[in-house]
Amino acid sequence: AQSVSQHNHHVILSEAASLELGCNYSYGGTVNLFWYVQYPGQHLQLLLKYFSGDPLVKGIKGFEAEFIKSKFSFNLRKPSVQWSDTAEYFCAVNTGNQFYFGTGTSLTVIP
Amino acid sequence: EAQVTQNPRYLITVTGKKLTVTCSQNMNHEYMSWYRQDPGLGLRQIYYSMNVEVTDKGDVPEGYKVSRKEKRNFPLILESPSPNQTSLYFCASSLRPGVPGELFFGEGSRLTVL
């Protein structure tokens, strides 16, 4: 089975700081990659996705992620975080018919 | 409005009392799936369905059943719930994995088994 690792479990940043959340996966074949965000008390919403092409993908709310095939990584970045970015972030991998999620990173942004 | 609807949103039950969590999507998606979310474990796939009458196990299917008799509905059945099934459950759908593949999630169902 696929495994997805998110190494940062809890991240605390001040507003305007830059953000990078790590995501690594184990499967060596073709994958589709996603980052989802879960605001407190809400369901998961798609931030961005990668299927093919340009390995640098841009999503909503100023987020971007870079797919590095050789490192099996899909790290999420944002140049300047806002208080409203406080949420839990999940990396997900789709291989075949199944989706695999990381354990999530809880981000707290201090005003 | 395109959405995935789950019911009930909150449920407290007792060990052994059968329950069903319903899931319905209005996007004509072929793929539907169930996940449970537990602290420190993220989301784990319970079951998925590629289309009507086609279901398959995910990573944690023990203690759960599903059915897909209609394209829009994908209920999750707990025949004899146990306390270790206390969790937050999400239903999700996708047009089909890979094309374009992203999942659309329901609001979640918080289940407590006493």
Side-chain angles (χ1 to χ4, degrees), chain B residues 61-95:
Chain B
E62 294 79 19
Y64 304 95
K65 285 176 57 177
V66 292
S67 68
R68 188 92 180 272
K69 292 184 170 56
E70 304 167 284
K71 196 171 186 178
R72 63 183 292 127
N73 296 324
F74 191 46
L76 179 69
I77 304 158
L78 285 74
E79 293 272 0
S80 183
S82 62
N84 64 12
Q85 293 178 296
T86 292
S87 187
L88 178 59
Y89 291 86
F90 286 101
C91 180
S93 70
S94 173
L95 185 60

Side-chain angles (χ1 to χ4, degrees), chain B residues 9-42:
Chain B
R9 296 286 313 281
Y10 302 91
L11 180 63
I12 300 174
T13 190
V14 295
T15 299
K17 186 175 181 181
K18 180 180 178 180
L19 67 92
T20 299
V21 186
T22 64
C23 174
S24 180
Q25 51 91 6
N26 62 0
M27 295 170 279
N28 201 35
H29 284 171
E30 292 183 5
Y31 183 93
M32 297 185 74
S33 55
W34 277 101
Y35 302 83
R36 59 178 291 173
Q37 183 180 14
D38 301 291
L41 297 177

Side-chain angles (χ1 to χ4, degrees), chain A residues 33-56:
Chain A
L33 301 161
F34 308 85
W35 275 97
Y36 284 87
V37 60
Q38 186 179 30
Y39 298 105
Q42 295 188 26
H43 64 289
L44 279 77
Q45 302 169 46
L46 182 70
L47 267 181
L48 47 77
K49 62 187 177 185
Y50 172 81
F51 292 95
S52 62
D54 189 343
L56 184 63

